[in-house]
Amino acid sequence: MQAKTNGNISFWYADIGGVPSYRAPLPGDLEADVCIVGAGFTGLWTAYYLKKADPSIRIAIVEKEFAGFGASGRNGGWLSGGFGWSREKYLKTSTRGAVVDMQLAMYGTVNEVISVTEAEGIDADIMRVDNITVATNKPQLERAKAEYEQAKTWDMPADRIAFLSAQEARERINIHNVQGAYVLRGMARVQPAKLVRGLAHTVERLGVPIYEQTTVLGLEKGKVTTDRGTVRAPIIVRATEGFTAGIPGNERLWLPLNSAQIITEPLPQSLWDEIGWNGHELLGDAAHAYCYAQRTREGRITMGGRGVPYRFGSKTDVRGQTQQETIDALYKILMRLLPQTRDLKIDHAWCGVLGVPRDWCTTAGLDEETGIAWAGGYVGLGVSSSNLSGRTLRDLILRRDTELTRLPWVNRRVRKWEPEPMRWLGVHSMYQLYRIADEREEAGLQQTSKLAALADSITGH
């Protein structure tokens, strides 16, 4: 299946009139109290909360492209508040109570983001919805049930989770061969480009300049070197997520994992009547190489997944353009779950990168010795997690001892990824094993394929 448009950042920008024009670059050398590198959600939320807390603080944001160029303007639009990382990994360096506190803090991001958008007049098509993870074979059903049961052991409020029978799931969304579904409540659907652009304008109104077309060449204590000049600041925030590997000295810190999406043409009402999806739920599945989807404001379906998972040498895409094999893979998932859509055209395809630490657990922190702060490694949950990052970095930078600064992800350090070609081989081997495992389970295997456990062991997923 060919997409009418491939790349051009993402469909989300086409939806709001096209890719934005650039703001002015850094005009030369300057001084600030805080220099933020990266004008995506992490950098913008950090600037927002810092400026709200202390209007006198001098903040400068430098951005290679434009605000929202990266994952913030390309993601699946899941404002999930989800806790997708291993609680057990955080537990190794913390306490159970602290991990539960972090879980609750993450859930709180949905209400916080919605509150800010309402207060600041940001229209981002936000709609409160459930997240439904469907199972279409027996092994998937067992994993979905196991995830539901595990959530209960971590003090998940009973009103936030549910498990649906096959019939109950089908009444929500008419998924082919659905056998059950795990439901997480209290989430939201969002148009990400609207949210990030609205947040950028809000930050500017608060007096924070965003210098675009400005490439960072190096970070060191008290200094950010760019191709347009030098910014000197006692605090520097690295807010570059999946593009972190492009900063000298950070090549192996976080792996830029590719994720891609396709979006259909608008569906006629007769087809929606057949599919259902009246609750506009965020949709995923319990496959190993999982997918993520949403029903958009104007009645389209987005379908996302990993496709070609990683480019050699931590390279990133060219303005969102993705490979045809990735488009084909995503279309195959759409046909597997919703074969009713087989006559629809694909209007747009695009991709981006998300940051993955070596232990697959996100972090936020501040190095007191160098003054360099960071947040990211969201592993696909950045729309909501970045908001908590912004509030946490605010407290760390202002030297506040708060509940947020005591959460177990703060100042968490992990080892770097292996040099090439080992990390290319590792990531591609993992996803190839996932796909084979999914194929075997779909073909009738009655239990989770052991290949999936092998895949996890390769990269520590």
Side-chain angles (χ1 to χ4, degrees), residues 128-164:
R128 292 183 184 272
V129 298
D130 293 343
N131 173 214
I132 180 169
T133 300
V134 297
T136 59
N137 56 52
K138 184 178 179 181
Q140 286 187 20
L141 185 64
E142 291 175 351
R143 290 196 295 275
K145 286 181 176 178
E147 186 175 357
Y148 169 68
E149 294 297 332
Q150 184 193 44
K152 292 195 291 185
T153 69
W154 280 96
D155 302 337
M156 181 79 76
D159 62 348
R160 291 194 63 94
I161 58 175
F163 202 88
L164 306 180

Side-chain angles (χ1 to χ4, degrees), residues 73-311:
R74 309 187 197 185
N75 61 77
W78 286 32
L79 180 57
S80 67
F83 197 97
W85 316 285
S86 170
R87 298 172 178 88
E88 288 72 19
K89 288 180 181 179
Y90 287 111
L91 188 59
K92 290 179 180 178
T93 55
S94 187
T95 66
R96 177 183 172 84
V99 176
V100 171
D101 287 344
M102 183 174 169
Q103 177 178 263
L104 291 173
M106 285 294 178
Y107 295 148
T109 60
V110 176
N111 285 340
E112 175 66 16
V113 171
I114 292 174
S115 176
V116 172
T117 59
E118 291 175 346
E120 302 295 349
I122 300 172
D123 176 12
D125 297 340
I126 295 179
M127 181 179 186
R128 292 183 184 272
V129 298
D130 293 343
N131 173 214
I132 180 169
T133 300
V134 297
T136 59
N137 56 52
K138 184 178 179 181
Q140 286 187 20
L141 185 64
E142 291 175 351
R143 290 196 295 275
K145 286 181 176 178
E147 186 175 357
Y148 169 68
E149 294 297 332
Q150 184 193 44
K152 292 195 291 185
T153 69
W154 280 96
D155 302 337
M156 181 79 76
D159 62 348
R160 291 194 63 94
I161 58 175
F163 202 88
L164 306 180
S165 67
Q167 181 60 33
E168 290 170 328
R170 192 174 296 109
E171 288 173 356
R172 290 280 197 105
I173 308 175
N174 189 13
I175 299 293
H176 178 66
N177 200 36
V178 66
Q179 299 190 19
Y182 171 41
V183 177
L184 278 168
R185 301 190 179 102
M187 299 189 177
R189 182 205 72 192
V190 63
Q191 209 281 27
K194 284 187 173 184
L195 179 58
V196 71
R197 297 299 293 181
L199 186 57
H201 292 311
T202 298
V203 165
E204 284 184 307
R205 287 200 306 270
L206 293 175
V208 178
I210 302 173
Y211 300 112
E212 298 180 342
Q213 308 173 77
T214 303
T215 301
V216 170
L217 304 176
L219 302 178
E220 57 186 294
K221 183 177 181 179
K223 185 170 71 172
V224 177
T225 304
T226 82
D227 63 343
R228 304 283 190 169
T230 299
V231 182
R232 296 187 181 276
I235 298 294
I236 297 165
V237 179
R238 190 187 72 237
T240 47
E241 182 56 356
F243 292 90
T244 299
I247 299 175
N250 294 276
E251 292 83 359
R252 292 167 51 200
L253 186 62
W254 292 339
L255 182 142
L257 191 67
N258 292 320
S259 198
Q261 293 177 77
I262 57 174
I263 189 165
T264 68
E265 62 184 327
L267 278 65
Q269 186 57 49
S270 59
L271 189 51
W272 282 123
D273 291 341
E274 184 178 347
I275 292 173
W277 212 338
N278 297 319
H280 292 253
E281 294 89 346
L282 303 174
L283 171 65
D285 70 353
H288 300 291
Y290 58 88
C291 68
Y292 53 96
Q294 69 150 284
R295 174 178 175 172
T296 70
R297 175 198 73 243
E298 73 281 26
R300 302 170 184 266
I301 296 174
T302 67
M303 179 60 68
R306 294 294 177 257
V308 176
Y310 174 72
R311 290 174 169 84

Side-chain angles (χ1 to χ4, degrees), residues 407-427:
L407 292 176
W409 69 329
V410 174
N411 288 325
R412 180 185 177 87
R413 305 267 188 170
V414 298
R415 66 187 177 93
K416 294 181 178 181
W417 284 90
E418 290 75 5
E420 295 291 22
M422 295 305 297
R423 64 178 182 273
W424 186 93
L425 290 169
V427 175

Side-chain angles (χ1 to χ4, degrees), residues 396-407:
L396 289 170
I397 291 168
L398 297 179
R399 304 305 196 273
R400 296 175 173 178
D401 180 15
T402 67
E403 292 180 356
L404 295 182
T405 63
R406 294 191 291 272
L407 292 176

